[in-house]
Amino acid sequence: MPLASKVAIAIIVEAALFIALLFGAAGTLEWGAGWAWMLLMFGGGGVVTVLIARRDPALLAERMRSPMQSGQPLWDKVFLLAMGALWCAWLALMGLDVVRFRWSVMPLWLASVGAALVAVSFWLVAHVFLANTFLAPVVKIQRERGHRVISSGPYAVVRHPLYAAAGIMIPASALVLGSWCGLAFSVLLLAGIVWRTVMEERELVAHLEGYAQYAQRVRYRLVPFVW
């Protein structure tokens, strides 16, 4: 199947799933914040996808591969399944919270802050993808692609800038949707990111030449001057 067709199908399926979870839980399609979040996510994601397609089609092809691959540690397969379930539960929770049961009431200015932070996170994501052609969706060493350590761009600041961007995007999304419950639940997703960061680093130190030296030069994993 052509790469463009794979990308289009993936976007359609993902959008349909998000709509079903968010608006199905909400019980209505009349949810402005929900549609605003969808526009932010798929608008930002679309821009990043087009950018990668133009600059690094090999990376886009790698991103379109199955989330379950040979050479991928078992713990990462379990992690991706668990995070997928948590993500789906999180979206459904926010639909229930904000619209169906109206547990949360959040001021509009917080939603605006959240939208700005989501936009910033996609800006960071774009820079990360442009810097690292080996940014596979699974943990593995890509020997067939000449996998090597990347230390330029955002990787000169923190060792896992994509996870750092996700750490901004997830709680910011809860703000856009106006969900205090979603903001609290996002702690579980962030904990998952931290756990994967630690586990992935063990794989990279053990199997990717030069990574241990890189980790000594760039001290921080996710947050500069913190961790």
Side-chain angles (χ1 to χ4, degrees):
M1 181 184 296
L3 180 59
S5 298
K6 289 183 180 180
V7 172
I9 291 171
I11 291 173
I12 291 169
V13 170
E14 187 175 54
L17 177 62
F18 286 12
I19 290 171
L21 290 168
L22 273 177
F23 295 93
T28 179
L29 293 175
E30 296 181 4
W31 183 16
W35 291 113
W37 181 77
M38 290 289 294
L39 181 62
L40 281 168
M41 293 298 289
F42 286 90
V47 169
V48 172
T49 300
V50 170
L51 186 63
I52 300 172
R54 291 179 176 177
R55 300 282 187 89
D56 194 349
L59 173 58
L60 184 58
E62 183 65 40
R63 299 291 302 182
M64 287 296 104
R65 294 185 62 187
S66 168
M68 303 294 154
Q69 301 179 22
S70 62
Q72 177 187 10
L74 176 60
W75 66 259
D76 192 48
K77 295 178 181 180
V78 174
F79 169 83
L80 290 177
L81 290 172
M83 284 293 282
L86 283 175
W87 178 272
C88 291
W90 179 60
L91 292 181
L93 172 64
M94 291 190 286
L96 293 171
D97 174 31
V98 178
V99 182
R100 189 180 291 268
F101 297 121
R102 301 183 185 276
W103 294 325
S104 289
V105 177
M106 190 176 289
L108 182 60
W109 69 267
L110 273 179
S112 301
V113 169
L117 289 173
V118 170
V120 168
S121 70
F122 273 112
W123 178 81
L124 290 172
V125 166
H127 282 274
V128 173
F129 277 120
L130 289 177
N132 187 0
T133 188
F134 306 110
L135 201 60
V138 305
V139 175
K140 66 174 186 176
I141 304 301
Q142 302 167 60
R143 294 184 175 87
E144 74 283 0
R145 298 185 64 216
H147 198 169
R148 66 183 185 279
V149 174
I150 301 297
S151 59
S152 60
Y155 287 89
V157 181
V158 293
R159 302 200 295 270
H160 298 272
L162 185 63
Y163 296 160
I168 296 171
M169 183 183 297
I170 290 170
S173 294
L175 295 181
V176 173
L177 292 168
S179 176
W180 292 114
C181 291
L183 187 62
F185 192 97
S186 67
V187 172
L188 291 177
L189 296 170
L190 297 178
I193 290 173
V194 169
W195 185 82
R196 195 193 200 199
T197 299
V198 173
M199 295 297 291
E200 183 174 333
E201 287 224 315
R202 292 180 183 177
E203 295 288 329
L204 294 172
V205 168
H207 303 294
L208 183 60
E209 183 180 355
Y211 192 87
Q213 292 80 8
Y214 163 69
Q216 291 176 347
R217 294 196 309 272
V218 178
R219 295 177 54 193
Y220 303 103
R221 294 180 176 94
L222 298 176
V223 183
F225 309 110
V226 177
W227 186 74

